[in-house]
Amino acid sequence: GYYACITHLDHQIGRLIMALIEQELYDDTVFLFTSDHGEELCDHHMFRKCRPYEGSCHIPMIISGPENLTGGKQGQVCHSIVELRDIMPTLLDLAHAPVPEEVDGKSMMSMVADPGKSIREWLHGEHLYGNESNHYIVTSRDKFIWYSQTGEEQYFDLSSDPRELHNGAADPQYRERMDTLRAYLREA
């Protein structure tokens, strides 16, 4: 069923692209493609969206369009942290429209122009799910998870353990870094 949904989506995107080409609008179009969550698909022997592991919360954010509209080169990959609330300011930026001050998100266009750039140092996420309810802080290199109902903490060094197979919360070498991420969590 999952692969059927992906195939269906691929076909619909293809139909949209063909219509844009037929109407001679394709070269004036910027695409922004994302999802609200991943499904884990048995990462950590789990599925669904309610846990803070990469299979659920690390999703694609794809911006594609002509270089004269996006200001970036085709095929670039940026590994900075972005989120759904960055979509509106990005689209307003692309349209050369002002971004209201009260908007929480940030335009991603500076990262399109320079994939090494970042618009934030860390991101807070949370999910309510009974005893699995959690808050987490993720950076470009690591993640701290706090399960609010049980008090359990987890720490993953994503730069050396991208599949989150080793919980380093009890490792003395990560103690100071966990303190920093806990402080970000209190700030969030």
Side-chain angles (χ1 to χ4, degrees), residues 64-83:
S64 178
E67 290 179 19
N68 64 316
L69 296 178
T70 64
K73 301 250 185 265
Q74 294 291 325
Q76 297 182 125
V77 177
C78 178
H79 295 283
S80 295
I81 296 172
V82 297
E83 60 180 323

Side-chain angles (χ1 to χ4, degrees), residues 7-177:
T7 300
H8 176 72
L9 187 59
D10 285 347
H11 288 176
Q12 301 316 307
I13 292 170
R15 290 178 61 204
L16 174 62
I17 289 172
M18 290 308 298
L20 289 168
I21 291 170
E22 288 170 7
Q23 298 297 314
E24 298 181 358
L25 296 170
Y26 183 77
D27 292 333
D28 295 324
T29 302
V30 174
F31 294 91
L32 192 150
F33 182 85
T34 192
S35 173
D36 63 340
H37 62 83
E39 294 292 343
E40 286 189 292
L41 297 178
C42 291
D43 295 355
H44 299 269
H45 306 288
M46 300 174 187
F47 70 99
R48 298 187 59 180
K49 65 176 184 177
C50 49
R51 293 178 182 89
Y53 302 119
E54 293 293 276
S56 176
C57 64
H58 190 153
I59 58 171
M61 180 79 76
I62 300 169
I63 299 174
S64 178
E67 290 179 19
N68 64 316
L69 296 178
T70 64
K73 301 250 185 265
Q74 294 291 325
Q76 297 182 125
V77 177
C78 178
H79 295 283
S80 295
I81 296 172
V82 297
E83 60 180 323
L84 295 176
R85 63 183 166 180
D86 298 329
I87 293 173
M88 185 183 90
T90 301
L91 295 177
L92 289 172
D93 196 1
L94 274 165
H96 305 290
V99 177
E101 282 186 35
E102 59 272 10
V103 170
D104 289 333
K106 300 176 182 184
S107 174
M108 296 177 278
M109 295 313 297
S110 62
M111 296 184 323
V112 172
D114 179 1
K117 201 168 198 169
S118 181
I119 58 173
R120 66 176 51 82
E121 185 180 348
W122 53 271
L123 182 67
H124 168 251
E126 64 182 298
H127 201 89
L128 180 64
Y129 189 56
N131 280 342
E132 299 291 324
S133 296
N134 61 75
H135 290 260
Y136 64 93
I137 297 294
V138 63
T139 74
S140 60
R141 69 177 215 241
D142 57 1
K143 184 186 296 176
F144 171 75
I145 303 167
W146 173 61
Y147 286 92
S148 58
Q149 301 304 301
T150 65
E152 179 188 355
E153 294 180 333
Q154 295 181 339
Y155 174 83
F156 297 100
D157 182 344
L158 298 175
S159 58
S160 63
D161 181 21
R163 295 182 62 204
E164 299 166 306
L165 299 175
H166 174 71
N167 176 8
D171 296 358
Q173 70 198 42
Y174 298 126
R175 191 165 291 133
E176 186 175 326
R177 181 64 181 161

